[in-house]
Amino acid sequence: MKLSIIRSACGGLRTHPVRLGGRVSGLPRRCPTLPNGPANSRLILRTASATTTGGTDPVLAVNIGKPAQREDRFVCHSSLREVVQSTKEAMAALQRRSSAIQPLLAIIQIELNIIQICLAKDCTEDEIVEEVLKLNEDPRVHGIYLHLPPVSLTSRVLNALKPEKDIDGISDLNMGRLIRGDLSKVFVPPTVRAVLDLLEKHDAPLDGKTVLLVGGEGPMGLALQCLIERNGMVALKSNWNSNSLQKLVMQADGVVLLGAEDIDVPPTWFRPGAAVIRCGPSLVTDDNAIEMPSMSGLEHLVAAYRTQNVVHSYSRWLQEQQYRPWRLHSLKLQPMTPVPSDIEISRAQMPKPVNQLAEEIGLLPEELEAYGRSKAKVRLSVLDRLHTQPDGKYVLVAGITPTPLGEGKSTVTIGLVQALSAHLKLNSFACLRQPSQGPTFGVKGGAAGGGYAQVIPMEEFNLHLTGDIHAITAANNLVAAAIDARMLHEATQSDKRLGINKTDPATLTPQEVSDFVRLDLDPAKITWQRVVDTNDRFLRKITVGQASTEKGQIRETGFDIAVASEIMAILALADSLADMKGRLARMVVGTSRSEKPVTAEDLGVSGALAVLMKDAIKPTLMQTLEGTPVFVHAGPFANIAHGNSSVLADKLALKLVGRDGFVGKSTQSMHTDSVHELRNLLCTFSVTEAGFGADIGMEKFFNIKCRASGLRPDVVVLVATVRALKMHGGGPNVSAGAPLPKEYIDEVYRATFMQTNTHDWPQTCTKNTQITITTDNNMSNLSLVAGGCHSNLKKQIQIAHLFGVPVVVALNVFKTDTQAEIDLVCQIAKECGASEAVPCSHWAQGGHGCIELAKAVNEAACTPSSFQFLYNIEMPITEKIRTIAQKVYGADDIELSPDAQAKIDYYNQQGYGSLPICMAKTHLSLSHMPDKKGAPTGFVLPIRDVRASIGAGFIYPLVGTKYQNKKSTQVEVQFSLFLLREKDKSKLSAIVGFR
């Protein structure tokens, strides 16, 4: 078998750009614009003169299987020249757009001595289909021509062709679209185009005239009939054995004889001036050989049209590679009161099929790898296809220093993109981290958002997803196994048994042999641990190597949670498969006895790690409750790692949303004040979330992730809650699982109820009861709110401004918040430097509750920003730590322990001094002391230890004297006590609008 691809049948041909539904240059005047045609017929044309009793007008005769005559070439010359010239011009235009790729035509034939994919004469249907499927998936091939005997052109073979490569138009799908009149994606068979060309250019115009089709009961005849009629002629059909054949032929202005080449029609049957074309099968077969008659002028025309179809196919393919405007179909929400549980809300909404969502946002079918109905991996080839596409706006969602209950950054992120896409009709993408199983099965629950701002299906988001964390677990534990196996082999085998591949191993000294084959890992300095994706506290410290087969190689080690693996941080920071492989190779797993770092590349496992992670590197596409797109990818911790979703998800989202993505089609369904306002909403957004407070997740996003990605943010959305602000303003501590202190809820309920006719309200309250409600401001906690705003909220806004990025404060409103509290937060936030501050009720209302936030983000994104890093990457490690401590946390200085200083010296010696810093500290305070709320000052930040993730590319100092690497796993407290206490006051809720 020989594979070859014909680049051009006419030498550098191309076509004019074609308007859908318009006319292809080179086609007859009314011939519709269509792609290519079938390969199961051949035209050999010969012009002839015939005389009848009616006169001596010339008759155009087309015969099959006879040598080409000089007059044949003369008749076809004009059409052939036009087709070739127009194809050349179109090809030149396409090459100016994309010079790196040229249209390619692949031909499959049986025992024909031409450039081809040559199959044996006795090849099976399966072998032909196999070749077709290979060509279907070859991105270099833009057209496939099946030059096969009719017996081999089975329905299975024909329909194996991809419609977009079926340049002969022979598949059922192509033919069906052609007959139905759906001409935007089909190819007109080259034979049909040639026949139409000759009919159109006949001496006597055939507009409104009759053309008789004799024979041709198959698809070719039907296609000819349809296109003849669409070109203004009247098409009649007749069988070869019809008794009225002679009469019909004599009355026709044009006659097309299909098949039955052994049947001759007397010239006297044709009326003077009639156009006569005979078409026959392309291959004539017998038991011994396949004949290939000499090529006539019309066959050249058919070949030229086929080549033009290849160029059309290439043009369509090139067009598909361009950015596609979104056609997002949002899902409707019907929020209920009271708000049901998250799982009830999730299950009540039917997500769109993921392939539909992908098509709506401009992804190609080949760029999607579906995992069931509602989620799919997206291939990184999208970045290559859209590399010239300008990015959308880059929005980071961060938060103030949270309570142990969390303040709702994920929920705000989802509510914001629902408002942008589903309500304001602006392209937007949410990029979220993947949750681990530990918190999901603990009391915290998942991370899909909440209320009416969720990613769905909730269960699939929180459980396994597409297996990325399992891939990380396997890769991490492969490294751990390789470490122990290497130490075992080095301890129990001689150097001679390990083998040396070198030109002259005998010349190596014993020390050189040892250096060549031994890593000599120090068991006490191995930093790599095994991981598991479920909190199993009894595995935190373990002893391995106790089996007799391990020959006494016993050591202590332990397990981390899977998302704490350095491989997770690498997944989040890599920008390609090659970059990920390089980072995996650089991971330091321990130190040798000679104080040299030992890497995964030294262990020889970096290639295996890349193979395990080859699918995990692709982001997972999902959707929100309102059908807007979400990328879920990576989930590094925000303490020992940088706490952000992947660089690749952000880059893909920024390309897909585009720059000018206003997709609204009408103003009636948009929640805006005027058409003029709508016209100003021209931004598109990729919205990503940073873990913990802005002092941790946001700072690391800027200094680590933005350095790795090269991306620059446009807006920071800073999430705050009245609850957290009261805590920072001097309120009592909040503990997960315990009832909220009265300071956090009393503002709503401290009211004076006065009733004229009874003293036991509300049990006896009726619809006629007159109620007056007043708020006792003297008993409110507004001072706590103000204190939190002027301390922690103000400091977090200032941190964002250190990086030159505008801030929009999103107040995540709870049903216990009063209007006075909400207004106060928004007022002070703007006084503290926020571009805007707006309340958000997305938890209860979905995207509709975030419309004002979306407008504020859009306005802030359209203002110029001056992003800058906090420190120069070449600064000494100690100075980078000090800069973060003083400018971000508000510390006076830092204090390095002896161990920390020794580590810094070691990292400088190894050449790691230019890596960014990833501070590992408590998220419950700006300082290292969890109980210090607000914006502490006057403290010295202690650095207990300094470690390095060389593969991920950062140094992480451990902050505090008793640093604990643990993450809160407590669930947000539900206001059950309040509900129980107030259950008899439901009528009050209806009257005053409590939420």
Side-chain angles (χ1 to χ4, degrees):
M1 184 190 310
K2 178 173 65 175
L3 170 63
S4 60
I5 299 174
I6 300 178
R7 293 182 177 270
S8 171
C10 298
L13 300 180
R14 53 182 160 144
T15 56
H16 292 295
V18 178
R19 175 176 56 84
L20 294 183
R23 174 173 164 267
V24 178
S25 178
L27 280 178
R29 180 157 42 88
R30 284 179 303 280
C31 184
T33 299
L34 293 176
N36 309 347
N40 64 346
S41 62
R42 183 192 74 246
L43 285 177
I44 296 180
L45 303 180
R46 182 168 62 85
T47 58
S49 295
T51 57
T52 66
T53 57
T56 59
D57 292 339
V59 175
L60 173 62
V62 182
N63 297 305
I64 184 71
K66 298 182 180 181
Q69 304 296 321
R70 181 177 181 181
E71 54 267 31
D72 299 344
R73 294 191 297 271
F74 177 77
V75 171
C76 296
H77 178 73
S78 175
S79 293
L80 180 60
R81 181 174 57 190
E82 290 180 9
V83 174
V84 170
Q85 181 61 30
S86 65
T87 306
K88 284 183 177 180
E89 292 172 359
M91 184 62 205
L94 289 173
Q95 286 184 332
R96 285 194 294 269
R97 292 173 57 191
S98 178
S99 59
I101 304 176
Q102 294 183 352
L104 300 180
L105 169 63
I107 300 179
I108 299 178
Q109 291 183 307
I110 297 178
E111 288 190 359
L112 292 176
N113 188 24
I114 65 172
I115 300 174
Q116 61 189 325
I117 296 174
C118 186
L119 303 178
K121 180 180 178 181
D122 58 351
C123 66
T124 65
E125 182 184 62
D126 288 341
E127 290 173 322
I128 299 174
V129 170
E130 181 182 357
E131 291 299 329
V132 171
L133 295 178
K134 289 178 182 177
L135 294 171
N136 281 343
E137 300 306 318
D138 189 340
R140 303 169 301 164
V141 175
H142 304 99
I144 302 173
Y145 170 31
L146 299 179
H147 198 258
L148 302 173
V151 68
S152 296
L153 292 173
T154 64
S155 177
R156 180 170 172 239
V157 170
L158 297 181
N159 293 316
L161 282 169
K162 273 190 173 181
E164 58 266 31
K165 296 188 179 185
D166 177 21
I167 51 95
D168 265 20
I170 54 179
S171 67
D172 290 351
L173 180 58
N174 188 91
M175 194 62 68
R177 287 173 172 171
L178 179 66
I179 294 171
R180 189 177 60 188
D182 180 8
L183 308 181
S184 60
K185 295 182 179 180
V186 302
F187 290 101
V188 174
T191 301
V192 174
R193 297 178 77 180
V195 171
L196 291 171
D197 196 336
L198 290 177
L199 291 174
E200 182 72 17
K201 293 181 178 177
H202 185 52
D203 290 342
L206 296 178
D207 291 1
K209 301 298 180 64
T210 300
V211 177
L212 177 66
L213 305 180
V214 183
E217 298 302 324
M220 178 66 66
L222 192 56
L224 265 173
Q225 180 182 359
C226 290
L227 294 180
I228 285 172
E229 291 175 347
R230 290 194 190 118
N231 278 270
M233 295 172 267
V234 177
L236 300 177
K237 294 195 67 177
S238 174
N239 297 325
W240 282 100
N241 57 0
S242 172
N243 294 330
S244 58
L245 178 60
Q246 180 179 357
K247 179 180 178 182
L248 292 172
V249 169
M250 295 181 70
Q251 294 175 348
D253 301 295
V255 180
V256 181
L257 307 175
L258 300 169
E261 62 192 32
D262 56 337
I263 300 177
D264 197 10
V265 178
T268 57
W269 286 18
F270 302 108
R271 63 185 296 178
V276 181
I277 304 175
R278 182 189 288 272
C279 306
S282 59
L283 294 175
V284 181
T285 64
D286 58 28
D287 294 337
N288 300 317
I290 299 175
E291 299 179 4
M292 187 174 183
S294 61
M295 201 169 193
S296 73
L298 191 56
E299 280 192 302
H300 285 290
L301 181 58
V302 172
Y305 273 127
R306 180 174 293 115
T307 303
Q308 191 178 75
N309 280 351
V310 176
V311 178
H312 286 327
S313 177
Y314 172 68
S315 178
R316 290 176 181 175
W317 174 85
L318 195 62
Q319 184 63 35
E320 286 182 348
Q321 304 307 302
Q322 306 305 309
Y323 176 80
R324 295 181 174 188
W326 283 24
R327 295 176 175 84
L328 190 67
H329 169 69
S330 59
L331 302 177
K332 300 301 181 183
L333 277 185
Q334 295 181 336
M336 300 175 61
T337 303
V339 177
S341 67
D342 290 350
I343 190 65
E344 289 177 306
I345 294 173
S346 174
R347 289 178 175 174
Q349 184 72 294
M350 175 64 71
K352 294 178 289 189
V354 70
N355 59 336
Q356 175 188 335
L357 174 64
E359 182 180 7
E360 291 174 353
I361 62 175
L363 286 167
L364 304 179
E366 59 267 25
E367 293 168 341
L368 210 65
E369 298 175 2
Y371 282 65
R373 182 184 183 275
S374 54
K375 59 183 183 291
K377 287 285 191 181
V378 174
R379 294 181 179 177
L380 305 186
S381 58
V382 178
L383 291 175
D384 295 327
R385 176 169 67 87
L386 300 179
H387 71 280
T388 60
Q389 173 68 20
D391 290 344
K393 297 295 184 179
Y394 199 22
V395 179
L396 174 68
V397 176
I400 66 172
T401 303
T403 68
L405 310 180
E407 311 314 311
K409 292 189 303 297
S410 297
T411 312
V412 169
T413 300
I414 298 166
L416 173 58
V417 296
Q418 288 180 176
L420 287 166
S421 291
H423 297 269
L424 297 184
K425 306 303 179 183
L426 302 176
N427 295 358
S428 68
F429 232 112
C431 296
L432 299 177
R433 290 183 292 170
Q434 179 184 352
S436 62
Q437 286 185 12
T440 297
F441 287 113
V443 295
K444 179 180 182 295
Y452 287 101
Q454 290 191 57
V455 178
I456 56 172
M458 174 185 172
E459 305 99 306
E460 295 186 26
F461 181 96
N462 288 319
L463 303 177
H464 303 291
L465 200 60
T466 48
D468 294 355
I469 293 179
H470 302 318
I472 290 168
T473 301
N476 185 99
N477 293 344
L478 172 63
V479 176
I483 292 171
D484 287 317
R486 186 62 178 253
M487 290 195 300
L488 171 65
H489 294 155
E490 290 187 8
T492 58
Q493 298 181 12
S494 69
D495 293 339
K496 294 180 181 180
R497 293 185 59 187
L498 292 174
I500 301 174
N501 293 322
K502 205 167 183 179
T503 304
D504 188 7
T507 62
L508 296 174
T509 67
Q511 183 60 45
E512 288 173 335
V513 171
S514 179
D515 292 342
F516 184 74
V517 300
R518 291 182 179 273
L519 297 178
D520 200 25
L521 273 161
D522 186 345
K525 295 183 179 179
I526 294 173
T527 57
W528 197 263
Q529 297 211 119
R530 289 165 172 82
V531 298
V532 64
D533 191 33
T534 303
N535 291 339
D536 191 343
R537 60 186 308 114
F538 286 90
L539 292 177
R540 291 177 180 174
K541 185 168 287 295
I542 62 172
T543 302
V544 297
Q546 297 192 53
S548 59
T549 54
E550 310 314 316
K551 302 179 181 180
Q553 299 300 309
I554 300 174
R555 70 179 184 93
E556 286 189 351
T557 182
F559 274 82
D560 293 324
I561 193 167
V563 293
S565 171
E566 183 177 355
I567 297 177
M568 174 62 88
I570 288 173
L571 176 65
L573 290 172
D575 65 3
S576 67
L577 185 60
D579 182 37
M580 182 179 69
K581 183 178 180 181
R583 289 173 179 269
L584 292 170
R586 294 193 297 270
M587 292 188 305
V588 174
V589 301
T591 307
S592 70
R593 289 185 173 87
S594 59
E595 296 297 320
K596 295 180 179 178
V598 177
T599 66
E601 180 69 13
D602 296 330
L603 290 171
V605 297
S606 59
L609 299 180
V611 170
L612 286 171
M613 295 291 294
K614 68 179 179 63
D615 292 319
I617 197 172
K618 305 166 190 172
T620 300
L621 177 66
M622 297 188 75
Q623 63 192 281
T624 68
L625 280 166
E626 297 191 57
T628 66
V630 178
F631 273 141
V632 186
H633 200 213
F637 273 0
N639 42 24
I640 62 171
H642 60 291
N644 287 267
S645 63
S646 75
V647 165
L648 283 169
D650 289 357
K651 286 189 171 183
L652 284 167
L654 286 167
K655 291 299 182 186
L656 287 169
V657 298
R659 180 173 59 187
D660 299 323
F662 182 68
V663 297
K665 295 182 179 179
S666 70
T667 60
Q668 295 178 355
S669 62
M670 301 180 196
H671 300 274
T672 51
D673 296 330
S674 65
V675 175
H676 174 73
E677 182 180 5
L678 284 176
R679 290 173 180 166
N680 293 327
L681 296 174
L682 295 176
C683 294
T684 60
F685 302 90
S686 171
V687 184
T688 190
E689 175 198 348
F692 290 166
D695 55 304
I696 302 179
M698 183 182 71
E699 181 270 316
K700 294 175 182 179
F701 173 86
F702 291 146
N703 282 322
I704 298 176
K705 186 176 180 181
C706 289
R707 289 183 196 273
S709 67
L711 301 174
R712 300 295 179 261
D714 297 286
V715 184
V716 168
V717 174
L718 191 64
V719 179
T721 61
V722 169
R723 178 179 63 197
L725 291 171
K726 286 182 177 180
M727 180 187 70
H728 290 296
N733 288 333
V734 175
S735 300
L740 283 173
K742 61 181 182 179
E743 287 82 356
Y744 296 99
I745 57 176
D746 275 359
E747 173 64 21
V748 171
Y749 311 109
R750 288 189 177 183
T752 302
F753 305 107
M754 294 178 292
Q755 189 175 1
T756 59
N757 58 350
T758 183
H759 297 286
D760 57 354
W761 186 91
Q763 286 79 2
T764 60
C765 181
T766 68
K767 65 179 181 179
N768 296 321
T769 303
Q770 299 297 316
I771 302 175
T772 302
I773 302 175
T774 60
T775 300
D776 185 356
N777 290 322
N778 294 327
M779 302 180 66
S780 74
N781 295 300
L782 294 179
S783 59
L784 296 180
V785 175
C789 290
H790 286 296
S791 58
N792 195 269
L793 178 60
K794 180 179 179 179
K795 177 63 176 177
Q796 301 288 19
I797 293 173
Q798 291 172 345
I799 294 171
H801 287 166
L802 287 174
F803 297 90
V805 184
V807 178
V808 174
V809 172
L811 181 62
N812 187 12
V813 176
F814 292 175
K815 56 188 176 182
T816 53
D817 300 342
T818 66
Q819 191 60 48
E821 292 169 337
I822 294 170
D823 293 342
L824 183 62
V825 173
C826 294
Q827 174 191 336
I828 297 178
K830 287 185 281 188
E831 292 172 357
C832 293
S835 300
E836 187 57 87
V838 293
C840 306
S841 54
H842 48 279
W843 183 80
Q845 299 179 31
H848 180 69
C850 256
I851 289 175
E852 294 306 315
L853 174 63
K855 292 180 182 179
V857 168
N858 179 81
E859 183 175 351
C862 293
T863 59
S865 62
S866 55
F867 177 78
Q868 60 185 5
F869 293 114
L870 185 64
Y871 52 77
N872 188 314
I873 198 68
E874 299 301 328
M875 287 172 58
I877 294 176
T878 300
E879 289 307 309
K880 286 183 282 193
I881 298 173
R882 179 175 287 111
T883 298
I884 296 173
Q886 292 178 336
K887 292 188 176 181
V888 177
Y889 306 152
D892 289 343
D893 203 352
I894 62 172
E895 181 181 4
L896 297 174
S897 72
D899 287 344
Q901 185 62 61
K903 289 287 186 65
I904 292 174
D905 294 341
Y906 174 74
Y907 295 142
N908 285 327
Q909 178 186 355
Q910 296 299 325
Y912 303 146
S914 60
L915 293 177
I917 303 300
C918 182
M919 303 287 278
K921 79 171 189 72
T922 179
H923 63 289
L924 298 176
S925 172
L926 281 164
S927 72
H928 61 288
M929 301 166 283
D931 292 337
K932 298 294 183 180
K933 307 300 182 183
T937 57
F939 63 93
V940 175
L941 191 74
I943 308 299
R944 178 173 61 89
D945 197 1
V946 178
R947 299 176 184 172
S949 292
I950 304 304
F954 52 73
I955 304 290
Y956 62 99
L958 306 185
V959 177
T961 55
K962 294 182 179 180
Y963 174 78
Q964 295 180 344
N965 178 19
K966 69 177 182 178
K967 190 176 181 181
S968 173
T969 59
Q970 301 300 316
V971 70
E972 182 176 346
V973 174
Q974 303 298 319
F975 300 101
S976 55
L977 293 179
F978 156 69
L979 293 175
L980 288 174
R981 187 175 64 208
E982 300 294 327
K983 65 181 180 179
D984 292 332
K985 298 183 180 180
S986 58
K987 294 180 180 179
L988 174 64
S989 299
I991 295 171
V992 300
F994 275 3
R995 288 182 38 252

